[in-house]
Amino acid sequence: MNKLLISLLLIINFVLSQDVEAEKILDNLHHTIINKNGISLHFDYLFENKSYKMEHPITGNIALFSNKRFYLEFNTSSKMIQIYDGKNLSTILEEEEEIQIDHLNNKSD
């Protein structure tokens, strides 16, 4: 009986603690990690297009920094790198030997 009561109390505590605290925890984590030294993540993504019966796995790395800056690298058959420095989004297409630079502002979609 005691084990059931303790388990029930732990479950209730866990459910009730998921409310507003989760947003505060994520904000704190975002500001602590990214604003200090940034963070680098590796990802695997499966691109699916059902109308063309196409599945294409994509792997890559992303480094996130303060002020919404990032370095994104897609490791596919044609390697693509995107770099955002806070003002300009540079896209490097290695296979085509092409660099595209877009000037972004806060008002554009």
Side-chain angles (χ1 to χ4, degrees), residues 28-46:
N28 186 24
L29 181 68
H30 176 266
H31 291 297
T32 301
I33 293 176
I34 294 177
N35 287 338
K36 283 189 177 179
N37 296 323
I39 186 169
S40 179
L41 304 167
H42 175 79
F43 63 89
D44 296 314
Y45 174 74
L46 181 62

Side-chain angles (χ1 to χ4, degrees), residues 89-93 98-102:
L89 176 66
S90 302
T91 303
I92 303 166
L93 304 170
E98 180 179 337
I99 298 175
Q100 301 170 352
I101 300 175
D102 297 312

Side-chain angles (χ1 to χ4, degrees), residues 36-88:
K36 283 189 177 179
N37 296 323
I39 186 169
S40 179
L41 304 167
H42 175 79
F43 63 89
D44 296 314
Y45 174 74
L46 181 62
F47 174 74
E48 294 181 87
N49 188 333
K50 293 181 181 179
S51 60
Y52 290 102
K53 297 179 183 174
M54 183 172 73
E55 289 184 357
H56 184 68
I58 298 172
T59 61
N61 298 302
I62 184 166
L64 302 170
F65 304 101
S66 61
N67 299 324
K68 299 181 182 178
R69 296 175 297 140
F70 65 83
Y71 173 89
L72 174 62
E73 182 176 341
F74 292 105
N75 298 321
T76 60
S77 58
S78 59
K79 191 172 181 181
M80 183 178 81
I81 298 172
Q82 285 192 321
I83 303 169
Y84 181 65
D85 64 3
K87 296 178 185 176
N88 301 318

Side-chain angles (χ1 to χ4, degrees), residues 9-23:
L9 288 173
L10 288 174
I11 291 171
I12 291 172
N13 184 35
F14 179 75
V15 170
L16 293 177
S17 67
Q18 297 298 312
D19 198 8
V20 177
E21 289 297 317
E23 186 175 343

